[in-house]
Amino acid sequence: MKYRLLGWLLLLPLLLMAQERPKVAVVLSGGGAKGTAHIGALKVIEKAGIPIDYVVGTSMGAIVGGLYAIGYTPEQLDSMVNAQNWKFVLSDAPNPKDVLLDDRLRSERYVLSIPFTLKSADISDAGIIKGKNIAQLFSVLTEGYQDSVNFSRLPIPFACVSENLVDGSEVVFHRGVLATAMRSSMSIPGVFAPVNLNGRVLVDGGMVNNYPVDVALQMGADIIIGVDVQSPLLDAGQLKSVKDIFGQIINLQGEKKYQENLRKTDLHIKVDVSGYSAASFTKEAIDTLIVRGEQAAMADWDKLLTLKKKMGLREDYQPRMAHHAHPRPGPFPVPDAEKSKTIPVDPQIAAPAIRENKLNVGIRFDTEELAALQANTDIYLGKQKESQVSLTARLGKRTMARIGYNYQWSKGWQTGINYRFDYKDINIYNEGKRTLDLTFTHQQLTAGVAKDWNKIQVSAGLNFEYYNYHDLLSLEPVDALMFGNKSLFTYFAGLLYNNLNGRSVPTKGLSWSVMYHLYTDNLFQYEDNSPISAFSAHWQGCFTPLKNFTIIPSIDGRILTGGDNYSFAVTNMLGGNIAGRYMPQQIPFVGINRAELASGSLIVAGLKLRQRIFKNQYVSVTGNYGRSSDKLHELFEDSHSYDLVGTGIGYMYNSFLGPLEIELNWSNQTKKLGWYAGFGFVF
């Protein structure tokens, strides 16, 4: 009896091996954004109860497959791709929470920013996108797999494909850092910088094997279920753009192997991706592609069940998926969110973020100045990019040149010295009538220190200014002392806060500032009297109580004390549509399209109601109320002050070149209907 039992024990492993079901591999092709359809197909494959023993992918298939292999469910992957700000992920833009306020405000000024380098180019420069943000995302999503591992030991064994540009060979990742493998597999040549790994220059695996069935077979798979999002080859009449030609070149490179692998596929799930490209990363496109992936797999539902039967499994069989044993955490990271985690990134796929040298160009047209062009370059020096030389030039009715040097310590501290030259041609109005034509030059030398955070900036320093008046044509008597050449030594201090979610069309957030200037002409006095003090404040809020409807209240004020006869250089100024265009102390006012001189105390309240009517198109109603007087205590005394009222209705189209604005307006100063039009970012 014991010998019979022993015999059965010896035969048992052989019997189990004989009954072992065939191994199933899911192969996911490359296709950029089209590859999000894999998520929908995986939902159906799981629903059918098909056990998955291997996952192999290329490019986007490598990303979806790699994340699926470590435990993300299709439902989690759906949530994850929809949670991302793909415009940010597919760029090298710094995380907004890490951007200093000064840099953020400057970035909203120019229509074109071109990075350049003063050093010799390297592999990281061989692509439009270096991939810093997507590398960070991969590292966060693969938390727990930052070390080099054998991919056969993942919850589901995994492999992905890349190409070595050095010799054109196919590189198959079976081990290593998972994020690095995924990043290497999706490096579209010319778009993403290649990955330099152990002397190999790795690019998108779609160039050599976009549908890697052969890799899955080599891993031991018996049955292949392939999900294919590759676009078909185009004929002569369909090759109409650079995008079409580039996609065709990639597909042709691997066409022979693609056809061979198709013949080795047991079940080929072909997704309809017509109307979408590798770059279709909008929410609407992703949702549609995931649904199309589900539909394509459901169309093969009977074939899935047939495969299941072929494996010797009951129709109601449901395997224990790796995701249940190794669940991944949620919610999923959004890289531009303030709460996003920082996970170590493989330095081979993402160099540390450094400040880039840039050439910035802006252009603007409006009825106040006709046309203006501004160019700027910021050059960072030193190993840690702590030193900055900035050059700016502006051409238009008001020309400007500026050169500055700033030194930045860590944690946002900076000190610097700047020289600025302005030539201004200004028409001054009074109650809608032109009373003064003025041309002058303004030179300013500033030395100061500032502490800059993401939303707050504190600054203090000293200005030396010189005003030289050239031409003065007055239609009314004016105080000659007001327009005499003037030298000023000005002490200043300020506090600025800004968390608005945009400059052109903000929908939420606040901005406010307080500034103090002490004007002297000899560092101690002003015209042998006490110095003149100027207190200014600004507040603006943005609230969106209803979808597409935004309320924007604001308050601005400036108070002068310490004298009675103020020069043009320090006096309050009202009007115009852009703050600081005519003079730094200018406060805009709807309905007053030109600059007007104001009294020593000025306060302006504003309210804008803005409604989005179509994508990037808005209509608005704006109102301003203000009071002006010589003295602060007289500001609300009717006998010593006067009321200012203005209103306007406008239309805006927010284009990528800057907003296009048209406004009809009226004020009690002009007492007639006026209009304003402008195009381009404000600078």
Side-chain angles (χ1 to χ4, degrees):
M1 182 71 181
K2 64 179 181 180
Y3 294 109
R4 186 179 298 177
L5 180 61
L6 181 61
W8 277 109
L9 290 173
L10 292 172
L11 287 172
L12 184 59
L14 297 175
L15 292 171
L16 292 173
M17 290 177 63
Q19 296 176 356
E20 185 178 354
R21 64 168 177 79
K23 298 292 185 182
V24 180
V26 172
V27 177
L28 308 176
S29 77
K34 297 176 292 183
T36 55
H38 294 318
I39 298 170
L42 286 170
K43 289 180 182 180
V44 176
I45 293 170
E46 282 198 359
K47 183 180 178 181
I50 303 294
I52 300 174
D53 302 292
Y54 306 100
V55 180
V56 182
T58 297
S59 195
M60 191 63 162
I63 298 169
V64 174
L67 296 177
Y68 185 77
I70 61 172
Y72 286 95
T73 68
E75 290 73 24
Q76 287 180 312
L77 292 171
D78 190 334
S79 299
M80 185 272 294
V81 296
N82 276 292
Q84 305 309 314
N85 179 350
W86 290 104
K87 184 178 179 181
F88 171 79
V89 171
L90 299 174
S91 76
D92 296 314
N95 192 322
K97 73 182 181 68
D98 298 325
V99 178
L100 298 181
L101 178 59
D102 206 39
D103 292 336
R104 176 160 64 87
L105 297 178
R106 183 165 59 243
S107 70
E108 299 173 337
R109 191 174 301 159
Y110 299 102
V111 67
L112 180 65
S113 289
I114 305 172
F116 66 92
T117 181
L118 301 178
K119 65 178 180 65
S120 301
D122 57 28
I123 194 67
S124 65
D125 301 310
I128 300 172
I129 303 168
K130 295 182 179 180
K132 173 175 70 68
N133 292 331
I134 200 163
Q136 179 66 41
L137 175 63
F138 289 172
S139 297
V140 172
L141 293 173
T142 58
E143 185 178 359
Y145 296 91
Q146 272 78 39
D147 297 327
S148 182
V149 297
N150 187 333
F151 295 166
S152 67
R153 297 181 179 272
L154 299 180
I156 300 177
F158 169 73
C160 63
V161 177
S162 185
E163 181 188 11
N164 182 11
L165 271 186
V166 175
D167 56 13
S169 61
E170 180 178 340
V171 178
V172 181
F173 282 92
H174 290 289
R175 62 169 56 248
V177 179
L178 182 58
T180 302
M182 295 191 305
R183 170 68 176 84
S184 301
S185 186
M186 52 74 64
S187 297
I188 303 172
V191 178
F192 289 95
V195 174
N196 191 353
L197 188 63
N198 301 325
R200 300 174 296 183
V201 179
L202 303 178
V203 297
D204 196 315
M207 302 286 289
V208 288
N209 196 353
N210 199 46
Y211 182 61
V213 170
D214 54 330
V215 175
L217 292 171
Q218 292 164 11
M219 292 172 69
D222 302 299
I223 295 175
I224 303 294
I225 300 175
V227 186
D228 185 3
V229 297
Q230 179 170 312
S231 298
L233 292 174
L234 304 177
D235 58 34
Q238 295 173 307
L239 294 169
K240 299 178 180 180
S241 68
V242 174
K243 180 182 67 175
D244 295 336
I245 294 172
F246 190 69
Q248 186 91 333
I249 291 171
I250 292 178
N251 287 347
L252 284 171
Q253 291 292 315
E255 178 65 11
K256 182 180 179 181
K257 179 165 279 192
Y258 172 70
Q259 294 296 334
E260 291 175 355
N261 283 329
L262 278 179
R263 291 191 288 270
K264 300 173 184 176
T265 304
D266 296 280
L267 176 55
H268 179 230
I269 300 174
K270 183 64 177 178
V271 183
D272 175 16
V273 294
S274 58
Y276 298 97
S277 71
S280 299
F281 279 99
T282 64
K283 185 180 187 313
E284 294 78 11
I286 289 172
D287 286 340
T288 301
L289 286 163
I290 292 175
V291 170
R292 287 192 184 182
E294 289 186 65
Q295 292 171 341
M298 285 301 301
D300 289 322
W301 180 260
D302 291 340
K303 294 179 181 178
L304 285 169
L305 296 184
T306 300
L307 272 181
K308 192 174 179 181
K309 185 177 181 180
K310 181 181 177 182
M311 287 185 277
L313 302 175
R314 303 187 312 274
E315 186 172 325
D316 62 349
Y317 171 80
Q318 287 292 330
R320 179 174 175 81
M321 306 300 289
H323 315 93
H324 302 299
H326 303 273
R328 301 298 296 174
F332 303 101
V334 181
D336 62 344
E338 292 188 21
K339 61 183 181 181
S340 62
K341 291 191 281 187
T342 300
I343 300 292
V345 181
D346 185 352
Q348 296 180 104
I349 58 170
I354 60 171
R355 308 179 76 188
E356 291 186 303
N357 304 325
K358 288 185 177 180
L359 174 63
N360 307 302
V361 179
I363 189 166
R364 182 166 179 86
F365 305 89
D366 61 48
T367 51
E368 291 184 5
E369 193 178 18
L370 297 182
L373 173 70
Q374 183 162 301
N376 160 266
T377 183
D378 296 321
I379 301 174
Y380 297 95
L381 309 172
K383 190 174 182 180
Q384 302 299 320
K385 307 294 184 181
E386 66 274 6
S387 297
Q388 177 199 45
V389 176
S390 181
L391 304 171
T392 306
R394 186 184 194 278
L395 299 177
K397 190 176 181 180
R398 285 164 285 281
T399 60
M400 179 270 289
R402 182 177 64 232
I403 181 172
Y405 171 81
N406 287 279
Y407 185 90
Q408 293 197 358
W409 294 279
S410 60
K411 300 181 179 180
W413 283 103
Q414 58 181 305
T415 186
I417 184 167
N418 293 267
Y419 169 78
R420 172 169 174 154
F421 174 88
D422 290 271
Y423 172 85
K424 295 183 182 289
D425 184 351
I426 298 178
N427 301 321
I428 306 295
Y429 286 69
N430 182 25
E431 297 184 353
K433 299 179 181 179
R434 191 165 73 180
T435 60
L436 190 66
D437 294 343
L438 181 68
T439 63
F440 65 95
T441 57
H442 170 226
Q443 299 183 68
Q444 178 176 294
L445 184 65
T446 302
V449 63
K451 175 69 167 79
D452 205 337
W453 293 269
N454 179 247
K455 299 174 183 176
I456 300 176
Q457 184 183 81
V458 180
S459 60
L462 173 66
N463 289 331
F464 170 74
E465 300 176 81
Y466 180 69
Y467 290 83
N468 185 15
Y469 300 93
H470 302 293
D471 297 299
L472 179 65
L473 176 61
S474 176
L475 304 180
E476 296 181 357
V478 296
D479 185 353
L481 293 177
M482 174 176 275
F483 297 100
N485 293 345
K486 196 70 178 176
S487 297
L488 293 173
F489 295 89
T490 307
Y491 305 95
F492 67 88
L495 176 63
L496 172 65
Y497 176 87
N498 188 311
N499 76 335
L500 296 174
N501 64 342
R503 187 180 185 190
S504 301
V505 195
T507 56
K508 63 179 181 179
L510 296 172
S511 74
W512 54 262
S513 64
V514 290
M515 290 291 299
Y516 172 73
H517 287 82
L518 184 69
Y519 295 101
T520 77
D521 54 15
N522 62 5
L523 294 175
F524 305 103
Q525 297 176 303
Y526 185 86
E527 296 182 349
D528 298 324
N529 295 303
S530 298
I532 294 174
S533 292
F535 301 89
S536 57
H538 160 82
W539 178 89
Q540 177 182 300
C542 270
F543 311 94
T544 305
L546 302 172
K547 185 179 181 181
N548 300 328
F549 178 72
T550 303
I551 302 173
I552 308 174
S554 62
I555 300 175
D556 291 88
R558 190 168 186 265
I559 308 298
L560 295 174
T561 64
D564 295 316
N565 297 315
Y566 305 121
S567 73
F568 177 74
V570 305
T571 194
N572 291 327
M573 186 173 287
L574 180 77
N577 286 69
I578 300 173
R581 162 164 286 185
Y582 300 104
M583 296 289 284
Q585 63 266 34
Q586 168 208 347
I587 297 176
F589 198 95
V590 65
I592 304 177
N593 294 332
R594 298 288 189 262
E596 294 197 4
L597 297 179
S599 302
S601 297
L602 175 65
I603 186 170
V604 175
L607 180 65
K608 174 179 281 190
L609 307 177
R610 186 181 66 226
Q611 175 69 47
R612 193 182 81 172
I613 53 175
F614 301 107
K615 185 178 181 180
N616 295 324
Q617 296 187 62
Y618 307 82
V619 294
S620 62
V621 176
T622 307
N624 276 140
Y625 173 77
R627 292 186 74 96
S628 179
S629 70
D630 290 329
K631 303 293 184 181
L632 175 61
H633 67 273
E634 299 173 342
L635 193 60
F636 295 99
E637 297 179 7
D638 293 339
S639 59
H640 295 90
S641 64
Y642 59 94
D643 293 313
L644 302 157
V645 179
T647 185
I649 181 170
Y651 164 84
M652 173 188 284
Y653 173 68
N654 193 30
S655 78
F656 73 97
L657 295 174
L660 170 64
E661 304 169 88
I662 302 173
E663 181 187 81
L664 294 176
N665 52 50
W666 178 91
S667 77
N668 66 344
Q669 292 295 97
T670 60
K671 295 182 175 62
K672 62 182 181 181
L673 191 67
W675 69 287
Y676 170 82
F679 175 66
F681 295 109
V682 173
F683 53 76

